[in-house]
Short mmCIF file of all heavy atoms in Angstrom, two decimals:
data_model
loop_
_atom_site.label_atom_id
_atom_site.label_comp_id
_atom_site.label_asym_id
_atom_site.label_seq_id
_atom_site.Cartn_x
_atom_site.Cartn_y
_atom_site.Cartn_z
N GLN A 242 76.98 -42.90 300.49
CA GLN A 242 78.33 -42.73 300.00
C GLN A 242 78.44 -41.45 299.18
O GLN A 242 77.45 -40.92 298.69
CB GLN A 242 78.75 -43.92 299.13
CG GLN A 242 78.79 -45.25 299.86
CD GLN A 242 79.32 -46.36 298.97
OE1 GLN A 242 80.33 -46.19 298.27
NE2 GLN A 242 78.65 -47.49 299.00
N ARG A 243 79.65 -40.97 299.06
CA ARG A 243 79.88 -39.83 298.21
C ARG A 243 79.57 -40.19 296.76
O ARG A 243 79.97 -41.26 296.28
CB ARG A 243 81.33 -39.37 298.34
CG ARG A 243 81.63 -38.07 297.61
CD ARG A 243 83.06 -37.59 297.90
NE ARG A 243 83.28 -37.34 299.32
CZ ARG A 243 84.39 -36.85 299.83
NH1 ARG A 243 85.41 -36.54 299.02
NH2 ARG A 243 84.50 -36.68 301.13
N GLU A 244 78.85 -39.33 296.07
CA GLU A 244 78.43 -39.61 294.71
C GLU A 244 78.78 -38.45 293.78
O GLU A 244 78.87 -37.29 294.20
CB GLU A 244 76.93 -39.89 294.64
CG GLU A 244 76.06 -38.69 295.01
CD GLU A 244 74.58 -38.96 294.83
OE1 GLU A 244 74.21 -39.99 294.24
OE2 GLU A 244 73.78 -38.12 295.30
N LEU A 245 78.95 -38.80 292.53
CA LEU A 245 79.23 -37.79 291.51
C LEU A 245 78.00 -36.93 291.28
O LEU A 245 76.88 -37.43 291.19
CB LEU A 245 79.61 -38.49 290.21
CG LEU A 245 79.71 -37.61 288.97
CD1 LEU A 245 80.93 -36.71 289.04
CD2 LEU A 245 79.75 -38.47 287.71
N VAL A 246 78.22 -35.64 291.18
CA VAL A 246 77.17 -34.71 290.80
C VAL A 246 77.38 -34.25 289.37
O VAL A 246 76.49 -34.37 288.52
CB VAL A 246 77.13 -33.48 291.74
CG1 VAL A 246 76.10 -32.48 291.26
CG2 VAL A 246 76.82 -33.93 293.17
N ALA A 247 78.54 -33.72 289.07
CA ALA A 247 78.84 -33.23 287.74
C ALA A 247 80.34 -33.11 287.57
O ALA A 247 81.07 -32.88 288.53
CB ALA A 247 78.17 -31.87 287.49
N THR A 248 80.79 -33.27 286.35
CA THR A 248 82.20 -33.08 286.02
C THR A 248 82.31 -32.18 284.81
O THR A 248 81.37 -32.05 284.01
CB THR A 248 82.92 -34.41 285.72
OG1 THR A 248 82.29 -35.06 284.61
CG2 THR A 248 82.90 -35.32 286.94
N ILE A 249 83.48 -31.59 284.67
CA ILE A 249 83.74 -30.73 283.53
C ILE A 249 85.21 -30.84 283.17
O ILE A 249 86.09 -30.78 284.02
CB ILE A 249 83.32 -29.27 283.82
CG1 ILE A 249 83.51 -28.38 282.59
CG2 ILE A 249 84.08 -28.72 285.02
CD1 ILE A 249 82.83 -27.03 282.72
N THR A 250 85.47 -31.03 281.89
CA THR A 250 86.84 -31.14 281.43
C THR A 250 87.44 -29.76 281.22
O THR A 250 86.77 -28.74 281.31
CB THR A 250 86.93 -31.93 280.12
OG1 THR A 250 86.36 -31.16 279.06
CG2 THR A 250 86.21 -33.27 280.23
N ARG A 251 88.73 -29.75 280.92
CA ARG A 251 89.42 -28.50 280.66
C ARG A 251 88.81 -27.77 279.47
O ARG A 251 88.83 -26.54 279.42
CB ARG A 251 90.91 -28.77 280.44
CG ARG A 251 91.77 -27.54 280.32
CD ARG A 251 93.24 -27.90 280.51
NE ARG A 251 93.61 -29.05 279.71
CZ ARG A 251 94.69 -29.78 279.90
NH1 ARG A 251 95.53 -29.48 280.89
NH2 ARG A 251 94.96 -30.83 279.12
N ALA A 252 88.28 -28.54 278.53
CA ALA A 252 87.62 -27.97 277.35
C ALA A 252 86.14 -27.72 277.58
O ALA A 252 85.42 -27.44 276.61
CB ALA A 252 87.82 -28.89 276.15
N SER A 253 85.68 -27.84 278.81
CA SER A 253 84.31 -27.53 279.21
C SER A 253 83.29 -28.53 278.71
O SER A 253 82.11 -28.21 278.55
CB SER A 253 83.92 -26.11 278.79
OG SER A 253 84.67 -25.15 279.50
N ARG A 254 83.70 -29.76 278.48
CA ARG A 254 82.72 -30.82 278.25
C ARG A 254 82.18 -31.27 279.61
O ARG A 254 82.95 -31.48 280.55
CB ARG A 254 83.37 -32.00 277.53
CG ARG A 254 83.80 -31.68 276.11
CD ARG A 254 84.32 -32.91 275.40
NE ARG A 254 84.76 -32.61 274.05
CZ ARG A 254 83.97 -32.62 272.99
NH1 ARG A 254 82.69 -32.92 273.12
NH2 ARG A 254 84.47 -32.31 271.79
N THR A 255 80.88 -31.42 279.70
CA THR A 255 80.24 -31.67 280.99
C THR A 255 79.56 -33.02 281.03
O THR A 255 79.18 -33.60 280.01
CB THR A 255 79.22 -30.58 281.30
OG1 THR A 255 78.21 -30.54 280.27
CG2 THR A 255 79.88 -29.21 281.37
N ASN A 256 79.39 -33.49 282.24
CA ASN A 256 78.67 -34.72 282.51
C ASN A 256 77.94 -34.57 283.82
O ASN A 256 78.48 -34.00 284.77
CB ASN A 256 79.63 -35.91 282.57
CG ASN A 256 78.91 -37.23 282.72
OD1 ASN A 256 78.07 -37.57 281.91
ND2 ASN A 256 79.24 -37.98 283.77
N TYR A 257 76.70 -35.07 283.87
CA TYR A 257 75.87 -34.90 285.06
C TYR A 257 75.30 -36.22 285.52
O TYR A 257 75.01 -37.11 284.72
CB TYR A 257 74.70 -33.96 284.77
CG TYR A 257 75.10 -32.55 284.43
CD1 TYR A 257 75.29 -32.17 283.11
CD2 TYR A 257 75.27 -31.59 285.43
CE1 TYR A 257 75.66 -30.87 282.79
CE2 TYR A 257 75.64 -30.30 285.11
CZ TYR A 257 75.83 -29.94 283.79
OH TYR A 257 76.18 -28.65 283.48
N ALA A 258 75.11 -36.32 286.81
CA ALA A 258 74.33 -37.42 287.34
C ALA A 258 72.89 -37.29 286.89
O ALA A 258 72.37 -36.18 286.74
CB ALA A 258 74.41 -37.44 288.87
N ASP A 259 72.24 -38.42 286.67
CA ASP A 259 70.85 -38.39 286.20
C ASP A 259 69.95 -37.61 287.16
O ASP A 259 68.99 -36.95 286.73
CB ASP A 259 70.32 -39.80 286.03
CG ASP A 259 70.95 -40.53 284.87
OD1 ASP A 259 71.54 -39.88 283.99
OD2 ASP A 259 70.83 -41.78 284.82
N SER A 260 70.25 -37.68 288.44
CA SER A 260 69.40 -37.06 289.43
C SER A 260 69.43 -35.53 289.41
O SER A 260 68.53 -34.90 289.95
CB SER A 260 69.78 -37.55 290.83
OG SER A 260 71.12 -37.23 291.13
N VAL A 261 70.45 -34.96 288.79
CA VAL A 261 70.57 -33.50 288.78
C VAL A 261 70.52 -32.90 287.39
O VAL A 261 70.38 -31.68 287.26
CB VAL A 261 71.88 -33.05 289.48
CG1 VAL A 261 71.98 -33.66 290.86
CG2 VAL A 261 73.10 -33.39 288.63
N GLU A 262 70.60 -33.71 286.36
CA GLU A 262 70.61 -33.18 285.01
C GLU A 262 69.33 -32.41 284.74
O GLU A 262 68.23 -32.86 285.03
CB GLU A 262 70.79 -34.29 283.98
CG GLU A 262 70.98 -33.78 282.57
CD GLU A 262 71.78 -34.73 281.70
OE1 GLU A 262 71.88 -35.92 282.06
OE2 GLU A 262 72.30 -34.29 280.67
N GLY A 263 69.50 -31.23 284.17
CA GLY A 263 68.37 -30.36 283.90
C GLY A 263 68.13 -29.35 285.00
O GLY A 263 67.40 -28.38 284.79
N ARG A 264 68.70 -29.60 286.16
CA ARG A 264 68.54 -28.68 287.29
C ARG A 264 69.84 -27.99 287.68
O ARG A 264 69.82 -26.84 288.10
CB ARG A 264 67.98 -29.42 288.51
CG ARG A 264 66.62 -30.04 288.29
CD ARG A 264 66.04 -30.60 289.58
NE ARG A 264 66.86 -31.68 290.12
CZ ARG A 264 67.43 -31.65 291.33
NH1 ARG A 264 67.26 -30.61 292.12
NH2 ARG A 264 68.14 -32.69 291.75
N PHE A 265 70.95 -28.71 287.56
CA PHE A 265 72.25 -28.18 287.94
C PHE A 265 73.07 -27.88 286.69
O PHE A 265 72.94 -28.57 285.67
CB PHE A 265 73.03 -29.16 288.82
CG PHE A 265 72.43 -29.44 290.16
CD1 PHE A 265 71.22 -28.89 290.55
CD2 PHE A 265 73.09 -30.27 291.06
CE1 PHE A 265 70.67 -29.15 291.80
CE2 PHE A 265 72.58 -30.53 292.30
CZ PHE A 265 71.36 -29.97 292.68
N THR A 266 73.94 -26.90 286.80
CA THR A 266 74.84 -26.56 285.71
C THR A 266 76.24 -26.36 286.25
O THR A 266 76.44 -25.57 287.18
CB THR A 266 74.39 -25.29 284.98
OG1 THR A 266 73.06 -25.44 284.49
CG2 THR A 266 75.32 -24.98 283.82
N ILE A 267 77.19 -27.07 285.68
CA ILE A 267 78.58 -26.91 286.06
C ILE A 267 79.29 -26.07 285.01
O ILE A 267 79.02 -26.18 283.81
CB ILE A 267 79.27 -28.28 286.24
CG1 ILE A 267 80.67 -28.11 286.84
CG2 ILE A 267 79.33 -29.05 284.93
CD1 ILE A 267 81.33 -29.42 287.25
N SER A 268 80.20 -25.23 285.45
CA SER A 268 80.98 -24.41 284.55
C SER A 268 82.34 -24.15 285.18
O SER A 268 82.54 -24.43 286.37
CB SER A 268 80.26 -23.09 284.23
OG SER A 268 80.04 -22.33 285.41
N ARG A 269 83.25 -23.61 284.41
CA ARG A 269 84.57 -23.32 284.95
C ARG A 269 85.17 -22.11 284.26
O ARG A 269 84.82 -21.77 283.13
CB ARG A 269 85.52 -24.53 284.80
CG ARG A 269 85.86 -24.90 283.37
CD ARG A 269 86.62 -26.23 283.31
NE ARG A 269 87.99 -26.10 283.77
CZ ARG A 269 88.81 -27.13 283.97
NH1 ARG A 269 88.38 -28.38 283.79
NH2 ARG A 269 90.06 -26.92 284.38
N ASP A 270 86.06 -21.47 284.97
CA ASP A 270 86.82 -20.35 284.46
C ASP A 270 88.28 -20.71 284.62
O ASP A 270 88.83 -20.64 285.73
CB ASP A 270 86.47 -19.06 285.21
CG ASP A 270 87.13 -17.84 284.61
OD1 ASP A 270 88.18 -17.96 283.95
OD2 ASP A 270 86.58 -16.73 284.81
N ASN A 271 88.89 -21.13 283.55
CA ASN A 271 90.27 -21.61 283.64
C ASN A 271 91.24 -20.50 284.06
O ASN A 271 92.23 -20.77 284.74
CB ASN A 271 90.71 -22.21 282.29
CG ASN A 271 89.99 -23.49 281.98
OD1 ASN A 271 89.55 -24.22 282.87
ND2 ASN A 271 89.87 -23.80 280.69
N ALA A 272 90.96 -19.29 283.66
CA ALA A 272 91.83 -18.18 284.02
C ALA A 272 91.81 -17.92 285.52
O ALA A 272 92.78 -17.42 286.08
CB ALA A 272 91.44 -16.92 283.25
N LYS A 273 90.70 -18.26 286.16
CA LYS A 273 90.56 -18.04 287.60
C LYS A 273 90.75 -19.32 288.41
O LYS A 273 90.61 -19.29 289.63
CB LYS A 273 89.19 -17.44 287.91
CG LYS A 273 88.97 -16.06 287.34
CD LYS A 273 87.60 -15.52 287.72
CE LYS A 273 87.39 -14.12 287.18
NZ LYS A 273 86.05 -13.59 287.53
N ASN A 274 91.02 -20.43 287.73
CA ASN A 274 91.17 -21.73 288.41
C ASN A 274 89.96 -22.03 289.28
O ASN A 274 90.09 -22.52 290.41
CB ASN A 274 92.45 -21.76 289.25
CG ASN A 274 93.70 -21.79 288.40
OD1 ASN A 274 93.67 -22.19 287.25
ND2 ASN A 274 94.81 -21.35 288.98
N THR A 275 88.79 -21.77 288.75
CA THR A 275 87.56 -21.88 289.52
C THR A 275 86.52 -22.70 288.77
O THR A 275 86.37 -22.58 287.56
CB THR A 275 86.99 -20.48 289.83
OG1 THR A 275 87.96 -19.74 290.59
CG2 THR A 275 85.71 -20.58 290.64
N VAL A 276 85.80 -23.52 289.52
CA VAL A 276 84.68 -24.27 288.99
C VAL A 276 83.44 -23.87 289.77
O VAL A 276 83.51 -23.60 290.98
CB VAL A 276 84.93 -25.80 289.07
CG1 VAL A 276 85.10 -26.26 290.51
CG2 VAL A 276 83.81 -26.56 288.37
N TYR A 277 82.31 -23.82 289.08
CA TYR A 277 81.06 -23.39 289.67
C TYR A 277 80.01 -24.49 289.51
O TYR A 277 80.08 -25.33 288.61
CB TYR A 277 80.54 -22.13 288.99
CG TYR A 277 81.51 -20.99 288.94
CD1 TYR A 277 82.34 -20.81 287.84
CD2 TYR A 277 81.61 -20.08 289.99
CE1 TYR A 277 83.24 -19.76 287.80
CE2 TYR A 277 82.50 -19.03 289.95
CZ TYR A 277 83.32 -18.88 288.85
OH TYR A 277 84.21 -17.83 288.80
N LEU A 278 79.04 -24.45 290.38
CA LEU A 278 77.88 -25.32 290.26
C LEU A 278 76.64 -24.50 290.59
O LEU A 278 76.49 -24.03 291.72
CB LEU A 278 77.98 -26.53 291.19
CG LEU A 278 76.87 -27.56 291.03
CD1 LEU A 278 77.00 -28.28 289.68
CD2 LEU A 278 76.89 -28.59 292.17
N GLN A 279 75.80 -24.32 289.59
CA GLN A 279 74.53 -23.65 289.78
C GLN A 279 73.48 -24.70 290.09
O GLN A 279 73.25 -25.60 289.29
CB GLN A 279 74.14 -22.85 288.53
CG GLN A 279 72.81 -22.15 288.62
CD GLN A 279 72.82 -21.00 289.59
OE1 GLN A 279 73.77 -20.24 289.65
NE2 GLN A 279 71.74 -20.87 290.38
N LEU A 280 72.85 -24.59 291.24
CA LEU A 280 71.85 -25.54 291.68
C LEU A 280 70.49 -24.86 291.65
O LEU A 280 70.24 -23.94 292.41
CB LEU A 280 72.13 -26.06 293.09
CG LEU A 280 73.47 -26.76 293.37
CD1 LEU A 280 74.58 -25.74 293.62
CD2 LEU A 280 73.34 -27.67 294.58
N ASN A 281 69.62 -25.32 290.78
CA ASN A 281 68.27 -24.80 290.67
C ASN A 281 67.25 -25.87 291.03
O ASN A 281 67.55 -27.07 291.01
CB ASN A 281 68.00 -24.29 289.24
CG ASN A 281 68.87 -23.12 288.86
OD1 ASN A 281 69.23 -22.29 289.69
ND2 ASN A 281 69.18 -23.02 287.57
N SER A 282 66.05 -25.43 291.32
CA SER A 282 64.95 -26.34 291.62
C SER A 282 65.35 -27.37 292.67
O SER A 282 65.14 -28.57 292.50
CB SER A 282 64.45 -27.03 290.34
OG SER A 282 64.04 -26.09 289.39
N LEU A 283 65.91 -26.88 293.73
CA LEU A 283 66.46 -27.78 294.75
C LEU A 283 65.36 -28.55 295.46
O LEU A 283 64.27 -28.03 295.73
CB LEU A 283 67.27 -26.98 295.76
CG LEU A 283 68.65 -26.54 295.25
CD1 LEU A 283 69.22 -25.43 296.12
CD2 LEU A 283 69.60 -27.75 295.23
N ASN A 284 65.66 -29.79 295.76
CA ASN A 284 64.79 -30.68 296.51
C ASN A 284 65.45 -31.04 297.83
O ASN A 284 66.67 -30.97 297.96
CB ASN A 284 64.52 -31.96 295.72
CG ASN A 284 63.91 -31.71 294.37
OD1 ASN A 284 62.98 -30.92 294.24
ND2 ASN A 284 64.41 -32.40 293.36
N PRO A 285 64.65 -31.45 298.81
CA PRO A 285 65.26 -31.94 300.06
C PRO A 285 66.26 -33.06 299.83
O PRO A 285 67.21 -33.20 300.60
CB PRO A 285 64.05 -32.42 300.87
CG PRO A 285 62.93 -31.57 300.38
CD PRO A 285 63.19 -31.37 298.91
N GLU A 286 66.06 -33.85 298.79
CA GLU A 286 66.98 -34.93 298.46
C GLU A 286 68.35 -34.43 298.04
O GLU A 286 69.30 -35.21 297.97
CB GLU A 286 66.39 -35.82 297.36
CG GLU A 286 65.15 -36.61 297.77
CD GLU A 286 63.90 -35.74 297.85
OE1 GLU A 286 63.85 -34.69 297.17
OE2 GLU A 286 62.98 -36.10 298.60
N ASP A 287 68.46 -33.16 297.73
CA ASP A 287 69.74 -32.57 297.36
C ASP A 287 70.57 -32.20 298.58
O ASP A 287 71.72 -31.78 298.43
CB ASP A 287 69.55 -31.34 296.48
CG ASP A 287 68.89 -31.66 295.16
OD1 ASP A 287 69.29 -32.67 294.52
OD2 ASP A 287 67.98 -30.91 294.76
N THR A 288 69.99 -32.30 299.75
CA THR A 288 70.71 -31.97 300.97
C THR A 288 71.93 -32.87 301.12
O THR A 288 71.82 -34.10 301.10
CB THR A 288 69.80 -32.10 302.19
OG1 THR A 288 68.76 -31.14 302.12
CG2 THR A 288 70.59 -31.89 303.48
#
C-alpha cells in the first residue's frame, strides 16, 4: 500500500517514517511552491 515517507508543514515542521528517518530529508520553499526530498543511503527496499 501507499505509505507515508515524510511530511512538512507550512512552518517547516517535519515528520518522517521510521524506515527513512536519518536517511531522508524533506524541505520546502514556500516562495517557489516546491517541496523536496533528499534521499541518502538508499536501499533496495526504498524502491
Side-chain angles (χ1 to χ4, degrees):
Q242 297 185 46
R243 187 175 300 184
E244 65 176 349
L245 170 72
V246 176
T248 60
I249 184 167
T250 70
R251 187 163 48 197
S253 293
R254 294 185 181 273
T255 60
N256 185 57
Y257 297 92
D259 290 343
S260 60
V261 307
E262 187 153 19
R264 299 187 297 120
F265 294 3
T266 302
I267 188 171
S268 61
R269 65 189 286 171
D270 186 335
N271 291 333
K273 295 181 178 180
N274 290 336
T275 300
V276 62
Y277 307 93
L278 186 68
Q279 179 69 42
L280 302 82
N281 296 327
S282 302
L283 284 163
N284 302 315
E286 293 75 25
D287 297 316
T288 295

